[in-house]
Amino acid sequence: MHSEKVNKGHEFLVFLVFLLVSLCLWLLKVSSEIFETNVAMRVVVEKMPEGLELQDDKVELEVGVRVKGSKLLTYMFGKESHIEIPYSDFTDNDGVLSIETSKLTNKVEAAMPADFAFRFFEEEELVVRIKTESVLLPVKFESDIVAGKNVEYGGIELVPEKVLVTAPPSMLEEMDSVLFKAGTRINVAKDSLITYTLPHKKYTTYEPAVLTAKVKATPYSKVSVMRKLSVEDVPLTHIASLYGLPDSVKLTCLMPPSMTGKVDKEHFRVSVNSGNIRKGVKDTLFFTVSSLPSFVKEENVRLEPEYIILENIKPFGILNLFN
C-alpha cells in the first residue's frame, strides 16, 4: 500500500515536470514569434474647458499592432498604456469631439511601447462625448403684449409650458427657465398664434425647440342704453317745450368684454345746458355725456340724437331767451 502511494506521487511529480517544460518551450516559441493583434489603449483628454467633463469615465481605443511575443507578454502584464490628447487637438461639434486620423496616428505611435508597430485602428474614428444631463424647465414669456385699439388683451397660453433641456451639468445649474423672446413689443388685434424657435446654444438642445404662444385678444363689445336727458340750467328748463327736447337719448359705447356684465345704465349720464349751444345760420344745442365708467373712453361713445336744431325761436335769436 505504501509503495503504491509513492508510485502515484512520483507519477504526478513527473507530470508536473513535463508540464513546466512544455510551458517553457511554448513561452520560448511564443516570445520569438511575431503577432498581429489588437490592444486597448486608454485615451486621456487633457486641458478640458472649465465646467466640462467627458460622458464616459474611461475611453479606450482599439489599435491593431504587430509585435514580438515577448514584448506583447510584457505589455499585457505590465503597466497600462495611455494616450494623452489635448482638447485643442479635437474638433468640438456641439459636445461631440473628433480628431483627424493623422493626428491620432501620431499620438498613438508616440505612446506605444518600443517594438510595437502600428497597423490600423479598429474603429474608423475616435469619438468622445461631453457629459450632459436632461431636466424639464418652465417656459417664461418675456415679450410685451400690447392690445390694438379697442381690443382687450385676455392673456396668453404657452405650448408647451415646460421644455426638456439637455446640457452639461454646470450649465444646467445656471438655468431656471427657458425664455420665450418673440420680440420686444407685440401688437395684437385678435386671437393670435406666435411661434418662436429657441436659439442655438453650444452643448444645449431643447425638446421641443419650437414654442407656441396662444394670445387671446377680443374686440370691444358694443353696449347701448337709454338715458334720461338731464337739463342743467333754468332757462333751458323753461323753454324745453319750445326746443322739443327728447326725454331720453340712446347712448352706445364700446367697452372691454370683461366689463360688460359689471355696469348698468346708472353709470352713464347725459346732460344739456345753455353752454352747449353753437350759433350759426341755425343755432344748435348739443347733448353732453357728463358721466362715464373709467374704462369707457369718451371717443367710443355715440348719442342718438346728438343735438337738436333750435328753429322754433322768435327772430330775436336764442340768446335773447337768457337775458
Side-chain angles (χ1 to χ4, degrees):
M1 181 68 69
H2 177 69
S3 61
E4 289 180 1
K5 289 183 178 181
V6 172
N7 290 334
K8 288 182 178 180
H10 179 72
E11 291 174 358
F12 181 71
L13 182 60
V14 171
F15 171 76
L16 287 179
V17 170
F18 274 104
L19 182 62
L20 289 173
V21 171
S22 299
L23 181 59
C24 290
L25 292 173
W26 180 80
L27 289 174
L28 286 173
K29 182 177 181 299
V30 167
S31 63
S32 61
E33 288 185 358
I34 300 299
F35 288 88
E36 292 184 352
T37 186
N38 292 353
V39 296
M41 301 187 73
R42 185 166 63 90
V43 177
V44 178
V45 181
E46 296 185 317
K47 300 179 181 179
M48 289 281 291
E50 185 178 355
L52 299 182
E53 54 185 303
L54 298 182
Q55 185 75 41
D56 299 317
D57 295 331
K58 188 175 182 179
V59 179
E60 288 188 336
L61 180 65
E62 286 284 331
V63 180
V65 297
R66 180 184 293 109
V67 61
K68 194 174 182 180
S70 58
K71 298 295 183 180
L72 181 60
L73 290 172
T74 303
Y75 177 83
M76 293 174 60
F77 296 103
K79 185 178 179 180
E80 181 184 35
S81 295
H82 65 277
I83 313 167
E84 295 180 351
I85 307 177
Y87 168 82
S88 57
D89 283 356
F90 286 90
T91 298
D92 188 344
N93 185 18
D94 233 2
V96 179
L97 309 184
S98 59
I99 186 172
E100 295 178 6
T101 304
S102 58
K103 286 185 179 180
L104 185 58
T105 300
N106 293 336
K107 295 290 183 182
V108 169
E109 290 179 339
M112 275 186 175
D115 300 324
F116 273 63
F118 169 75
R119 295 179 61 236
F120 60 85
F121 294 116
E122 185 66 24
E123 301 292 337
E124 292 184 0
E125 61 179 344
L126 173 63
V127 176
V128 183
R129 299 183 183 276
I130 299 296
K131 182 178 181 180
T132 59
E133 295 179 353
S134 298
V135 64
L136 274 173
L137 292 178
V139 177
K140 183 179 179 182
F141 191 81
E142 283 214 334
S143 300
D144 291 330
I145 300 293
V146 179
K149 185 177 181 181
N150 298 333
V151 174
E152 181 180 31
Y153 170 55
I156 188 169
E157 178 187 352
L158 298 176
V159 181
E161 295 181 347
K162 292 185 178 182
V163 170
L164 184 66
V165 182
T166 301
S170 59
M171 296 177 66
L172 288 176
E173 289 176 359
E174 300 176 358
M175 302 174 65
D176 57 7
S177 61
V178 175
L179 300 183
F180 189 130
K181 292 184 176 181
T184 304
R185 189 181 180 91
I186 300 174
N187 290 281
V188 292
K190 59 182 180 179
D191 290 352
S192 307
L193 288 179
I194 302 172
T195 58
Y196 176 65
T197 300
L198 292 169
H200 176 264
K201 188 176 181 181
K202 195 169 185 178
Y203 306 127
T204 305
T205 60
Y206 305 97
E207 181 59 39
V210 179
L211 309 179
T212 301
K214 298 180 180 180
V215 182
K216 186 170 182 60
T218 309
Y220 278 14
S221 300
K222 182 181 289 187
V223 176
S224 297
V225 295
M226 295 299 298
R227 294 302 294 139
K228 183 176 178 60
L229 188 62
S230 175
V231 180
E232 295 188 339
D233 53 22
V234 174
L236 283 181
T237 302
H238 291 320
I239 60 175
S241 60
L242 292 176
Y243 299 157
L245 287 177
D247 291 333
S248 61
V249 296
K250 182 181 179 181
L251 182 150
T252 301
C253 68
L254 298 177
M255 66 173 63
S258 62
M259 304 303 295
T260 55
K262 300 179 181 180
V263 296
D264 57 36
K265 64 181 182 180
E266 300 303 324
H267 289 90
F268 302 91
R269 184 181 180 191
V270 182
S271 61
V272 62
N273 62 66
S274 55
N276 297 131
I277 297 175
R278 184 181 301 172
K279 293 191 64 180
V281 176
K282 292 184 178 181
D283 295 339
T284 306
L285 177 61
F286 285 88
F287 307 143
T288 303
V289 179
S290 54
S291 179
L292 282 174
S294 60
F295 48 82
V296 176
K297 298 178 181 179
E298 188 171 351
E299 64 185 45
N300 289 334
V301 178
R302 296 290 181 270
L303 297 177
E304 296 180 36
E306 297 182 52
Y307 57 86
I308 61 170
I309 302 297
L310 306 178
E311 56 185 1
N312 296 328
I313 307 304
K314 302 297 182 183
F316 298 103
I318 186 67
L319 292 182
N320 292 334
L321 296 171
F322 305 104
N323 293 330

